[in-house]
Amino acid sequence: MHLITPPCKKTPIPTTLLLLILLLHLHSTNSEIQTYHLHSDIRPFILFQDFGFTSPGFISISVSSISISSYPTPTPALLSSIGCYYAPSPARPALEQALLQHTCITSDPFVFPIFTLDDPLKHFNQTILISIPDLYFIFFLNCAHNSSVSMTLNLETYNVKPNGDLDFIDDQFANLPNTLFLFSFIYLSFLLAWSYYCNKNKQFVRKIHEVMALLLFFRVFELLFHACSQHRIKQIGSPHLWKTLWLFIYFIRNVLFIHVIMLIRAGWSLFRPNLQNLQTRAIFVTVGLQLVASTCFVLSNGLGTSSSSYGLWTVTYYAVDFICCVIMTLPVSPSINNVVVSAKIEEKEEKKWVYKRAYESFALALYIYVGFTRLGMFLIRSITSYNMWGLSIALELTIELIFYGVVYSMFCPSERYDYVVLEDREEDHCGNGSLADLRLLGF
């Protein structure tokens, strides 16, 4: 027996994050067959899964190696309030109360026990029939504030199809594998079309066009591996290696995406052969932040919601990703002005308005993209029910595809963006004399 610190003295990050998940329905692969290992865990609330059931559906739980440490020794009444529970969507207010106030909600009419620790057995094996279709939360409650629990828990949530087959994916994500496969095929067609167009216009192909092709390549495989992961979950309840491959490709693609956007903003290879020091630093900072954000995303998806550090990694991911997007959407007028200066030096005055319009259109597309994917999707997932989760994912994928299409059409290999490669001394002159040139040009 040993004294355990009361849960109210724990960091509020996991609580804040779990509440965010309940409110915004931010889900990843939350419908797998999963195994959870709790070791001297003092958290009053642990969310294992949320799952959309059809009729009939089942929750199957197997628990072993149960031990509890407490001071003083908990009474049978307290032990009966420590265990695994499930609740339909009407219990959401009670769950929010448990998260924010650490109240015991075992008496709530919408909270139902799967097993409790007042049973002298050290092993439980329960299967619960779900006959009313709805979103259900499966979670662990510890109402004895001075106690810690250790156990190994195996959890399966699944629906039964009319033909008797088991379906381990959430009802609202039933079409997600097909949707991801479809978008991966669209991006593959996009990549082939981009490669054909670049090959047809070789004389105008710059290094940035090759990097943009590489971005499409990773996007294709990111969606393909994600689709395979979801398909395997749907069939057998576990993604096996596909999830690891998806997270690995996601990491590379996300960082490469930010890199491409920042290089286009700076005009590298399209309008200017070199980058100035300030532009290079901005790219390093933004890409570095995205490295941190992508790492946090991979860790949070690998650990799962039951991990005590899941909240820290997920909150860090959203915070850093938001900062990265803010930096990415800062006004691009300095780059526009530098391009105009380059056009003046190269005696291509007529090009400056082409460059200026291209940058302004790109900036507008970037603002709309960030607004929809960050703020717009935030609002949609906040005000809609879980029945719209699948549609919201399809909508987000569509917005991203449109953004890719707009940007790639803007900066495809073309004589509109040809430039005469400046010598180093001319480039230095351009950088040092930019303020004077801008004044002359009226910027």
Side-chain angles (χ1 to χ4, degrees):
M1 297 292 184
H2 58 280
L3 181 64
I4 303 296
T5 305
C8 59
K9 295 186 179 181
K10 287 174 64 66
T11 173
I13 290 180
T15 297
T16 304
L17 175 73
L18 287 173
L19 182 60
L20 187 67
I21 292 175
L22 290 173
L23 293 176
L24 304 184
H25 321 312
L26 299 177
H27 299 269
S28 54
T29 52
N30 62 347
S31 52
E32 309 167 34
I33 297 175
Q34 298 185 23
T35 299
Y36 305 93
H37 301 280
L38 305 183
H39 178 69
S40 299
D41 203 307
I42 62 174
R43 287 176 289 172
F45 183 98
I46 304 173
L47 177 64
F48 290 135
Q49 256 188 40
D50 47 50
F51 192 85
F53 287 98
T54 59
S55 181
F58 293 89
I59 301 173
S60 181
I61 287 185
S62 176
V63 188
S64 60
S65 304
I66 301 175
S67 66
I68 181 169
S69 299
S70 179
Y71 182 84
T73 302
T75 63
L78 274 179
L79 286 176
S80 65
S81 64
I82 303 175
C84 194
Y85 296 79
Y86 71 100
S89 57
R92 186 186 303 275
L95 300 182
E96 294 173 4
Q97 185 180 17
L99 288 169
L100 293 175
Q101 303 176 11
H102 302 305
T103 56
C104 190
I105 59 172
T106 56
S107 59
D108 187 275
F110 293 106
V111 174
F112 306 100
I114 299 176
F115 72 86
T116 57
L117 298 188
D118 58 334
D119 194 307
L121 296 176
K122 299 299 181 184
H123 177 85
F124 296 93
N125 194 342
Q126 297 282 348
T127 298
I128 306 296
L129 170 65
I130 304 297
S131 57
I132 302 177
D134 197 0
L135 173 70
Y136 286 78
F137 300 93
I138 300 98
F139 51 92
F140 184 82
L141 289 178
N142 182 358
C143 294
H145 290 176
N146 293 323
S147 63
S148 65
V149 177
S150 300
M151 69 173 70
T152 298
L153 184 146
N154 296 303
L155 173 62
E156 298 182 18
T157 50
Y158 54 89
N159 293 305
V160 179
K161 299 179 181 179
N163 61 2
D165 292 341
L166 304 186
D167 188 351
F168 291 92
I169 201 167
D170 191 304
D171 177 48
Q172 297 306 313
F173 296 127
N175 295 321
L176 183 57
N178 293 334
T179 301
L180 293 170
F181 276 122
L182 174 62
F183 275 91
S184 67
F185 176 78
I186 294 174
Y187 275 98
L188 177 60
S189 302
F190 195 166
L191 173 60
L192 294 176
W194 180 258
S195 302
Y196 172 79
Y197 192 86
C198 289
N199 185 64
K200 188 178 179 181
N201 298 273
K202 290 182 180 179
Q203 67 272 30
F204 303 115
V205 172
R206 310 299 180 197
K207 292 180 180 178
I208 187 63
H209 298 124
E210 298 173 359
V211 180
M212 292 167 75
L214 186 63
L215 173 61
L216 286 177
F217 175 82
F218 280 106
R219 182 60 170 164
V220 170
F221 281 95
E222 176 200 356
L223 291 170
L224 180 62
F225 291 155
H226 194 189
C228 292
S229 172
Q230 293 295 309
H231 181 68
R232 293 299 287 171
I233 290 174
K234 183 180 178 68
Q235 286 189 327
I236 63 174
S238 176
H240 293 307
L241 184 62
W242 292 113
K243 183 176 181 179
T244 303
L245 291 173
W246 165 57
L247 291 174
F248 175 72
I249 298 297
Y250 167 86
F251 180 91
I252 298 175
R253 195 277 309 171
N254 214 33
V255 174
L256 186 60
F257 172 78
I258 298 297
H259 201 177
V260 167
I261 294 299
M262 295 300 293
L263 288 175
I264 292 177
R265 276 194 51 192
W268 176 77
S269 183
L270 284 167
F271 309 125
R272 301 174 61 81
N274 299 305
L275 294 175
Q276 297 178 6
N277 289 335
L278 182 59
Q279 295 166 337
T280 304
R281 294 192 191 101
I283 291 174
F284 276 132
V285 170
T286 310
V287 173
L289 288 173
Q290 194 56 48
L291 280 170
V292 174
S294 298
T295 301
C296 292
F297 179 85
V298 171
L299 289 173
S300 63
N301 273 267
L303 293 171
T305 57
S306 64
S307 171
S308 59
S309 57
Y310 173 80
L312 174 63
W313 293 121
T314 307
V315 169
T316 303
Y317 163 70
Y318 284 110
V320 176
D321 182 68
F322 178 77
I323 295 173
C324 184
C325 288
V326 170
I327 296 176
M328 189 173 64
T329 55
L330 289 177
V332 296
S333 55
S335 296
I336 296 174
N337 294 335
N338 288 337
V339 167
V340 173
V341 172
S342 297
K344 181 70 173 179
I345 292 175
E346 297 172 16
E347 298 180 352
K348 292 187 177 181
E349 185 76 16
E350 71 279 1
K351 289 285 186 180
K352 70 178 183 180
W353 297 115
V354 175
Y355 297 159
K356 188 176 179 67
R357 284 194 297 268
Y359 266 98
E360 289 175 343
S361 300
F362 172 71
L364 177 62
L366 185 59
Y367 297 152
I368 294 175
Y369 167 75
V370 172
F372 267 110
T373 57
R374 298 308 187 271
L375 299 179
M377 298 310 300
F378 179 94
L379 293 175
I380 289 174
R381 287 168 176 159
S382 298
I383 63 178
T384 57
S385 68
Y386 90 102
N387 295 315
M388 301 296 293
W389 289 344
L391 291 178
S392 71
I393 292 177
L395 177 61
E396 187 171 9
L397 289 171
T398 302
I399 293 170
E400 291 177 349
L401 178 61
I402 293 173
F403 177 72
Y404 273 80
V406 169
V407 172
Y408 277 65
S409 63
M410 284 181 184
F411 300 106
C412 59
S414 170
E415 61 181 353
R416 293 178 301 168
Y417 303 138
D418 67 321
Y419 67 90
V420 178
V421 178
L422 303 175
E423 296 180 3
D424 291 340
R425 57 183 178 82
E426 291 177 319
E427 185 69 15
D428 293 339
H429 170 73
C430 174
N432 295 331
S434 59
L435 292 177
D437 291 328
L438 289 176
R439 284 194 293 270
L440 289 175
L441 291 171
F443 286 94

